[in-house]
Amino acid sequence: MTARFTMDETQPRLLDETAQGVIHEPMDRPEGRLKVTGCARYAAEHVLEGMAEGVLVRARVGRGRVSCADEEAVRAMPGVLGVYSDSRMLQVPAHGGAGTAPAQGPDEVRYFGQPVALVVAETPQQARHAAEALQVTYEEEPGDFDPDAAGTVDRPDKRALDQGDLDQAMAGAHRTVDVTCTTAPQHAAAMEPHAAVAVWEGDRLTLHGTLQMLKHNRAELADALGVAEEQVRILSPHVGGGFGSKLGISAESVAAALAARALGRPVRVVMSRQQVFETTTHRTATRQRIRLAADADGRLTAIGHEDRVYNLPGNAFSEPTAQSTHFLYAGENRRMAQEVARVNRACTGAVRAPGEAVGMLALEGAMDEMAEALGLDPIAFRKRNIPQRHPETGQPYSARALAGCMDDGARRFGWEARDPRPAQRREGEWWIGIGMAAAARVNLVSPSRARVTLREDGSALVETDMTDIGTGTYAILNQIAAEMLGLSPARVEVRLGDTDLPPASGSGGSMGASSAGSSVFVACRALRKTVAGRLGCHEHELTLKDGTATCANRRARLHELAASGALSEEGEFRPGTTKKQVSQASYGAFFAEVAVNGVTGETRVRRMDGTFAAGRILNEKTARSQCQGGMIWGIGAALTEEMVFDPRDGHVVNRDLAGYHIPVNADAPPIGVTFLEERDDHACPIQSKGVGELGISGAGAAILNAIYNATGLRLRDYPVRPEAILSDT
Amino acid sequence: MEITLTVNGRAQALELDPRTTLLDALRDHLQLTGTKKGCDHGQCGACTILLNGRRINACLTLAAMHEADEIATIEGLAPPDDPGALQAAFLHHDGFQCGYCTPGQIVSATGMLEEARAGWPSHVSPNLEAEVALDRSEVAERMSGNLCRCAAYTGIVEAILETAEQERDVEPREAAE
Ligand code: FES
Ligand code: FES
């Protein structure tokens, strides 16, 4: 049976009433043993009988058409089975949640590195050799490679807001800030490269993939191949990181499926690290102008946030840079606007916290500047500008502990010891400073389904096509079911990552835990009702603990109640009107201490703290890891991460992990993470909100604000390179 | 070409393209997929194995060069149903998220602990001659060849330090026995 629930009104906090006591606990990941012993199998590790190996061939021009590929020469090479440039092959990855195929047709080249063919051979060595040897000639066409000079610039209406009169407010303000901040293009660079193993049985395709949102991916793949969705099954039980880059299908899935069909053999296609950088989605560079106006009491009267981003022509996605600026601070005069430059670079898309990850850097830097201009403590200034109601829509807020997070973080970090005057602390060559920034990330939920079965032996099985990309899905779905059904987590099995199972939200936008978690909750709530019915009592009287159901003076073991046949319920969660009634977001505060070397210009983050409030925390351990990871991403954004594109042809210059610098272990300082106790009744029936992206949303700004405190240098270009420090000292 | 590789104590004859890296031989020919490929260029450490007890990147060497060597992979550290102390510590301290870099981290840490025991200094060691005292910064420095994009570094360091401490506590007792 299916239990449907739409979030139209707040729900009782059932997870605070249940007796098992496992929700929120810092439980170890149930799939963790597979991961630490090397037994967890990722997509490329399905080595199938008779499998052939495919290697994608990359375009070596920035824009043009393939005029000729010398396939004959390559076909004659040892082991080569075929060269494919089917018109169904993808030019770009699908946008997250698209559910339809993205642009297809490998003959038209729209950016350097775009896949133009697939070479398949018996072994990976042969395929790679042949792919390198394939001579492709192009009719080159002029392209637009520089976002600042692009010929076509779109101004999406959905990003434009003009409320009150920003110019007048600026002109009449007690203090103003008008600054421009830039952020570099960034790549998700998940450790597992994109990979697919495709195998057909008759006209049914099974694809071992590494993807984040399987129900959408299945629809995208079917659409791209021109087959029915029912013919496609995707398996993705373990995903070696996604961070947005695996939201939609990419070239390898379609290419593997097409070649496997043509050859009648399983085909594996694994992207090289270089191809991951060149042809999967990355985060746009941004140029952001922030304007703030404040009165003599330190109250904001105006906020302007205008930005310029880029994407390929015709691609609908644009980074929602000002996303949290809309709701975070007061100010009656507001202007937001966006320019999207159309350039021939690999497609941009969602990378961890699209919008806030870069928008909060600009906003929180400007807030620091305004606090100083007003002579106010940065925390006091922010607290003074927390609005009563959404300053644009007038909505009230759901649970919002921004002030509490700043106060808690300040206490833990020792904020009161900060000297607000810059460049006051020195240790040898090093200038020491501390800084803070607010954290905010919109809260999203989306439709999700899961089946929960109470088996004859009294254990439970949770099944959904939800993914665990490192986020802790296996743990939290287990804990929700264990808590609701009164079982020890060892008695709950969670199966994920298979499109044969009920379709979930997928992992993306920090919505997975609340959405998929709520579907499990809804299914379990229905099971509790059935159990209560079998005991002859009302569900409100029911207590489930350690496999025993108790109500009034009746008592039974769960396996006795399920003895006549397993009880199974499918739960369906849908977002409802509470989404519109209130403004929902997760909040927090970052604190950082940096040491900046006056001789070399190097910046080291010495310690970092974050206090967060994201509704109910479902697993304190995995949530903490998510926040720590996000904060370390913040360090990368602040100090090292930058994709470099050649202005002549748009190719990615630093297309590997030696050239693109993600933080290493020695870059990560001790990081403290604290969660404030919170329930967000408007978010979902389990009162949780998103946590996976919160830890990055503003983190880098705390570091640049600390650099200012250390050195007196107000830097606004991310990442901060040593030369930026040295050129100003 | 035909070669024999000794992996986790077992000698196995293989028929390989001479261009096959040691990493591909392990993953594709021996189905030892615990050793991961993150970059194939020696830049990430996901493919770390022990070669005669020392940690190396398996993607940077050809299988054909290792007929006479003892190779140990994550699968050889402990049986799947009975993780060793380091593996248990990674689990408990959540020293991973997606798990993709994890076998490389654990094998690398195994080799690193041995290097520290043997007194090898690192870039952050205050004294090149003295015994190595592993602390947070030593571990972070010595583990910086293993990238983790999930950035589970806090848990990784805690797990390794805890394991190193346990070993220190055990060793003197063993010596006394
Ligand atoms: S795969 Fe060998 S170092 Fe990255
Ligand atoms: S656990 Fe995901 S890369 Fe390290």
Side-chain angles (χ1 to χ4, degrees), chain A residues 2 447-451 463-465 502-505 519 570-573:
Chain A
T2 302
S448 207
R449 285 161 64 169
R451 182 168 50 239
E463 296 171 297
T464 162
D465 84 352
S505 60
S519 70
E570 193 162 313
E572 178 177 344
F573 165 76

Side-chain angles (χ1 to χ4, degrees), chain A residues 300-573:
Chain A
L300 288 171
T301 55
I303 297 191
H305 195 165
E306 292 149 288
D307 67 285
R308 186 174 173 109
V309 297
Y310 66 77
N311 207 345
L312 269 172
N315 202 303
F317 176 86
S318 72
E319 183 89 16
T321 313
Q323 190 153 257
S324 55
T325 309
H326 288 287
F327 63 81
L328 192 53
Y329 298 120
E332 50 287 11
N333 303 289
R334 310 173 78 83
R335 185 182 298 162
M336 320 281 163
Q338 182 170 62
E339 295 178 344
V340 186
R342 296 300 172 182
V343 291
N344 298 99
R345 286 185 179 180
C347 165
T348 62
V351 179
R352 199 175 197 171
E356 284 88 342
V358 282
M360 286 291 285
L361 299 180
L363 178 64
E364 287 301 290
M367 288 296 284
D368 207 61
E369 296 196 44
M370 180 56 103
E372 191 183 39
L374 290 163
L376 287 175
D377 175 78
I379 293 175
F381 168 58
R382 282 175 174 80
K383 281 162 76 175
R384 204 167 288 186
N385 287 288
I386 296 176
Q388 289 296 318
R389 284 179 168 258
H390 192 298
E392 294 163 17
T393 65
Q395 292 162 307
Y397 291 89
S398 65
R400 178 183 51 163
L402 175 58
C405 288
M406 290 194 284
D407 288 340
D408 179 85
R411 197 171 54 248
R412 288 172 196 277
F413 194 75
W415 179 253
E416 73 287 346
R418 164 182 177 267
D419 188 335
R421 296 168 305 157
Q424 298 298 312
R425 254 178 89 192
R426 193 162 181 164
E427 294 174 10
E429 289 174 5
W430 298 90
W431 295 93
I432 316 299
I434 63 177
M436 63 81 59
R441 169 71 181 157
V442 291
N443 187 56
L444 307 168
V445 280
S446 82
S448 207
R449 285 161 64 169
R451 182 168 50 239
V452 181
T453 304
L454 190 57
R455 297 187 281 210
E456 282 96 333
D457 66 356
S459 69
L461 173 66
V462 177
E463 296 171 297
T464 162
D465 84 352
M466 185 60 190
T467 48
D468 188 329
I469 61 173
T471 37
T473 314
Y474 282 104
I476 59 139
L477 297 189
N478 179 312
Q479 284 167 286
I480 292 166
E483 186 64 52
M484 287 292 285
L485 300 176
L487 293 171
S488 104
R491 301 279 290 153
V492 178
E493 181 190 347
V494 178
R495 283 191 202 145
L496 303 178
D498 178 350
T499 52
D500 278 357
L501 303 177
S505 60
S507 302
S510 296
M511 65 187 170
S514 293
S515 306
S518 290
S519 70
V520 171
F521 174 88
V522 168
C524 289
R525 200 160 62 175
L527 284 171
R528 288 172 63 95
K529 198 170 180 177
T530 309
V531 167
R534 294 205 173 174
L535 272 180
C537 68
H538 198 271
E539 54 184 309
H540 302 308
E541 305 164 275
L542 180 71
T543 302
L544 291 171
K545 190 167 191 302
D546 297 329
T548 300
T550 315
C551 65
N553 54 1
R554 283 179 294 272
R555 199 182 172 93
R557 300 287 293 165
L558 283 177
H559 65 85
E560 294 162 8
L561 293 171
S564 55
L567 307 174
S568 191
E569 290 282 354
E570 193 162 313
E572 178 177 344
F573 165 76

Side-chain angles (χ1 to χ4, degrees), chain B residues 106-127:
Chain B
I106 291 170
V107 173
S108 182
T110 305
M112 184 275 283
L113 289 172
E114 200 50 54
E115 291 160 18
R117 240 174 262 133
W120 295 17
S122 82
H123 172 66
V124 299
S125 304
N127 184 334

